[in-house]
Amino acid sequence: EELRVLKAAGAQEVADAQSEKEALQSELEAERLQAEQSSEQSSVLRQELRVAEEKEATLREKARDIVKRAQEQGEEKVRAIKEELREKEAAHFELLEEKTRELQQALTLAQKADNRAAEAVERVDAMEEEAQDAASAQAMASADAHTE
């Protein structure tokens, strides 16, 4: 009887151990599946991270290109404005030179006219003097004729 009890207890222990073994195996399988899923998720996340990093690098490169083009366009605009200012300055200088020449010509003409006017005044003065001399000579001749 004791042997049967021991046998039954041993069988029970074997059954419990078997049950515990199956439970542990089931738990182990669940953890393995979970680890496998985590590994797959990690792999997917790593791939997504790589894609995101590539997109970021592409965006940074595009941003650098945009900044570079903007700088080049800005420099080109500055060059164009400077050139336009140089052209305007040259045109203004040419106009200034032309007006200076015109003013010089007008001044020369005014001086010539002033000289002619001065000459005319001198001739008029000389004529007036001659007329006075002639009037004086006639008056003297008339006075001489009266005295005789």
Side-chain angles (χ1 to χ4, degrees), residues 8-24:
Q12 186 60 43
E13 280 185 32
V14 167
D16 288 346
Q18 184 67 28
S19 209
E20 192 176 329
K21 176 183 168 189
E22 287 172 3
L24 286 174

Side-chain angles (χ1 to χ4, degrees), residues 27-41:
E27 192 178 314
L28 182 64
E29 181 63 22
E31 285 183 19
R32 186 187 65 76
L33 285 174
Q34 188 177 359
E36 200 172 277
Q37 286 176 346
S38 292
S39 176
E40 286 175 11
Q41 286 176 342

Side-chain angles (χ1 to χ4, degrees), residues 132-146:
Q132 280 180 349
D133 286 348
S136 290
Q138 188 179 14
M140 282 196 337
S142 212
D144 281 346
H146 257 323

